Amino acid sequence: MATKDKLRVGVLVSGRGSNLQAIIDANEAGKLDAAVVVVVSDVKDAYALERARRHRIAPAFVDPKAHASREAFNEAMAAVLTEHQVGLVCLAGYMRVLSAGFIHRFRHRIMNIHPALLPSFPGLHVQGKSLHHGVKFSGCTVHFADEGVDTGPIIIQAIVPVFDDDTEDTLSARILKYEHQIYPRAIQLYAEGRLEVRGRRVFCKGSDSERPIKEGWRYIHP
Ligand code: GRF
């Protein structure tokens, strides 16, 4: 598909941007009918902005301190996204809560990735909480963002095992590898128009629900 015909994606970041990189790489490998056209950060020196520059994607820093309220700050971000004619907003390590106005404006057009099997362990310090609780499986989730923290309709999940000798770092690394698979996959399903939201549930048209992708112990579905 020609770049001009692709779904235009804006990515919101606060940090290193490895998920952003996975999305860019999937597009450059010809696996995505979607292209990142702008990367918006609330942190001036976020490494994700450098990744954008390297791939000739517009970088944008929107300074939260330059705005009187979260609403005004989110309005400024929305203006950047609108200016770039973004059709889908992807949160990738973006560390702030979005205003209700922003969510409303892009309803079911904002995705987020979270390093746990939601609704378990929303919020921060996810791997510490998962290990402390003693779960035997964890994973990652891509979902549509709503007004809550990590509460929106779930699009896709991947499962990984938790081992006795895991630390927060080893578990994070195992999960991150699958984040990098499921985020581009969710975006591609969206770009193909295959995701249908009905209440809390997201149905994926044309997927064989009897056949999640299995890799060893690890599952990705849909
Ligand atoms: C990822 O673990 C993601 O699930 C969470 O924040 C982290 C961002 O990592 N929301 P990166 O910036 O994409 O490398």
Side-chain angles (χ1 to χ4, degrees):
M1 178 184 279
T3 303
K4 68 174 178 50
D5 299 324
K6 290 189 175 193
L7 171 70
R8 296 173 68 82
V9 178
V11 181
L12 265 52
V13 297
S14 300
R16 67 186 169 185
S18 71
N19 278 287
L20 165 69
Q21 189 68 54
I23 298 164
I24 294 170
D25 291 347
N27 179 36
E28 292 185 355
K31 293 180 188 158
L32 223 48
D33 298 334
V36 181
V37 294
V38 63
V39 174
V40 184
S41 175
D42 63 329
V43 176
K44 193 173 185 184
D45 60 355
Y47 185 63
L49 288 175
E50 177 58 24
R51 293 184 195 266
R53 286 184 205 102
R54 286 186 189 177
H55 291 268
R56 297 176 188 284
I57 295 165
F61 165 57
V62 181
D63 188 353
K65 293 199 198 89
H67 298 88
S69 64
R70 186 166 72 195
E71 284 69 25
F73 166 61
N74 279 197
E75 272 302 311
M77 290 201 307
V80 174
L81 295 166
T82 305
E83 182 193 324
H84 285 85
Q85 297 173 307
V86 158
L88 178 69
V89 180
C90 290
L91 312 181
Y94 177 71
M95 299 303 286
R96 287 172 191 271
V97 176
L98 291 165
S99 68
F102 187 98
I103 298 285
H104 180 73
R105 186 159 172 169
F106 296 101
R107 173 82 61 197
H108 296 158
R109 291 192 293 139
I110 310 170
M111 287 185 187
N112 181 41
I113 184 139
H114 184 75
L117 293 174
L118 292 172
S120 294
F121 310 115
L124 299 174
H125 312 299
V126 179
Q127 306 320 336
K129 286 187 217 159
S130 302
L131 290 173
H132 185 255
H133 200 93
V135 295
K136 299 299 182 192
F137 289 94
S138 185
C140 43
T141 303
V142 178
H143 64 95
F144 286 115
D146 67 6
E147 286 80 357
V149 175
D150 304 320
T151 50
I154 291 169
I155 300 166
I156 180 167
Q157 292 185 307
I159 300 173
V160 305
V162 178
F163 299 123
D164 289 350
D165 58 356
D166 266 329
T167 63
E168 291 184 33
D169 287 346
T170 59
L171 182 56
S172 295
R174 187 174 310 122
I175 291 171
L176 191 63
K177 198 173 133 200
Y178 286 87
E179 293 184 36
H180 296 165
Q181 292 187 31
I182 68 171
Y183 216 168
R185 182 169 167 77
I187 294 168
Q188 181 60 18
L189 292 173
Y190 184 93
E192 291 173 1
R194 289 172 59 190
L195 299 179
E196 188 188 332
V197 185
R198 282 186 241 156
R200 279 213 49 82
R201 298 186 69 186
V202 182
F203 294 85
C204 179
K205 290 179 236 167
S207 77
D208 183 349
S209 56
E210 296 301 310
R211 287 180 180 274
I213 298 167
K214 186 170 183 301
E215 288 179 16
W217 300 35
R218 296 141 171 98
Y219 286 87
I220 298 175
H221 178 57

